[in-house]
Amino acid sequence: RRFNFDYINLGFSGNAKGELCRALPQKKCCAQALCFGILLYCNTFTPEKIKIVTECQEFAAALPKLFKRAFNVEFDQIKTGSGGKQSFLVEDENTLALILDSYGFDPEQMLSLHVNLSVLEEECCRVSFLRGAFLVGGSVTDPEKGYHLEMSTTHQSVARETNALAQEALGFYPKIAHRGGGSVLYLKQSDQISDFLTLLGAPVAAMGIM
C-alpha cells in the first residue's frame, strides 16, 4: 500500500493527470478525439482564439506533441504565469480554421459548441475524448479527504452530450450541476470514480481510490 501513500502525497488529482499523459494516442483519430475533449472543456475555444491553461506539468509537456499529431500544427504562443500555470494560445486564422473544420464546425454558424459524434464513432475515440475533457476540465479529490470527481465546461450542451457518452461507456450517468454559468459533471461514489479513472487509463489512481 505504500505506493498509494506516496502517490497521494504528491497531489492525487495532478498525479492522475500525469498518469494519463504518459502514453499519447498513436492513431490520428484518437489524438483528434482527445484534443476535441480538451477544446470543449478548455478556457477558450472560438473561431478567433484557442486558449488552454493548465497547472499540470506532464499535460503541458504533452500538449504540443498532441496537437502536432492530431493536426500537424503548433501553438502560436506558450506563456508561463504565476503559480506555474502555462497558457497555450492559437490565434492564427488558418490554424483555427483547420482545427474547426476537423470537428465539422463552420466559423460563420458557430452559435454554440456541441459534441460532434461523427468524430467519435470508435470506442477508443470516445474514451480519448473523455480523457481530454478530464485532463483540462477535471479534478479528483484526494480519497483521504472524500470521494469527488468532476469535469466542468462552460457549454451546457457539451455537458449533456458528454454525460451520455460517459453513460454509454460506464453504464451509469454522472450527475450534472450548474456553477458560475457553466456545467459540472460529477461522481461521488468511490466505485464509480474508480471505474471512470480505469476507463480513462489511470489504473494507479483507480487503485488509490479503491
Side-chain angles (χ1 to χ4, degrees):
R1 298 277 179 174
R2 180 174 177 178
F3 73 92
N4 283 347
F5 180 78
D6 292 341
Y7 187 87
I8 292 168
N9 282 348
L10 290 171
F12 194 86
S13 191
N15 275 293
K17 293 182 179 183
E19 187 178 357
L20 294 175
C21 291
R22 287 174 197 148
L24 297 179
Q26 295 301 310
K27 296 195 297 182
K28 182 177 179 179
C29 62
C30 289
Q32 288 189 342
L34 202 157
C35 287
F36 199 20
I38 291 169
L39 291 167
L40 291 180
Y41 280 78
C42 73
N43 300 72
T44 305
F45 180 35
T46 70
E48 294 79 31
K49 183 178 183 179
I50 289 172
K51 182 178 182 181
I52 303 167
V53 180
T54 182
E55 295 178 342
C56 177
Q57 297 303 308
E58 292 90 344
F59 181 44
L63 261 177
K65 302 172 188 175
L66 184 59
F67 270 66
K68 187 73 173 176
R69 184 169 298 172
F71 312 110
N72 196 29
V73 301
E74 297 179 353
F75 288 99
D76 296 331
Q77 295 183 65
I78 301 175
K79 299 180 179 179
T80 301
S82 60
K85 287 186 179 180
Q86 293 193 60
S87 300
F88 296 78
L89 302 171
V90 177
E91 296 178 307
D92 178 76
E93 183 178 333
N94 293 329
T95 303
L96 288 165
L98 172 66
I99 293 173
L100 290 169
D101 184 65
S102 298
Y103 300 121
F105 290 135
D106 182 348
E108 302 297 326
Q109 301 178 4
M110 200 166 153
L111 299 177
S112 63
L113 291 173
H114 64 91
V115 179
N116 185 351
L117 295 177
S118 66
V119 181
L120 309 174
E121 291 183 353
E122 301 296 329
E123 182 180 354
C124 56
C125 292
R126 292 192 289 272
V127 171
S128 291
F129 173 86
L130 293 171
R131 183 184 301 167
F134 176 76
L135 279 169
V136 75
S139 64
V140 57
T141 301
D142 181 333
E144 289 189 347
K145 300 176 181 177
Y147 297 112
H148 183 86
L149 181 149
E150 69 175 44
M151 299 188 299
S152 60
T153 176
T154 56
H155 315 290
Q156 292 189 14
S157 58
V158 169
R160 291 193 301 269
E161 292 156 357
T162 303
N163 201 33
L165 284 175
Q167 193 278 335
E168 180 182 339
L170 294 163
F172 52 81
Y173 283 105
K175 295 181 179 179
I176 299 181
H178 301 290
R179 180 196 303 160
S183 297
V184 180
L185 284 75
Y186 67 94
L187 299 170
K188 283 189 169 292
Q189 296 185 29
S190 60
D191 58 335
Q192 292 183 352
I193 294 172
S194 178
D195 287 349
F196 187 67
L197 290 172
T198 299
L199 175 74
L200 297 189
V204 177
M207 290 180 67
I209 295 293
M210 289 188 290

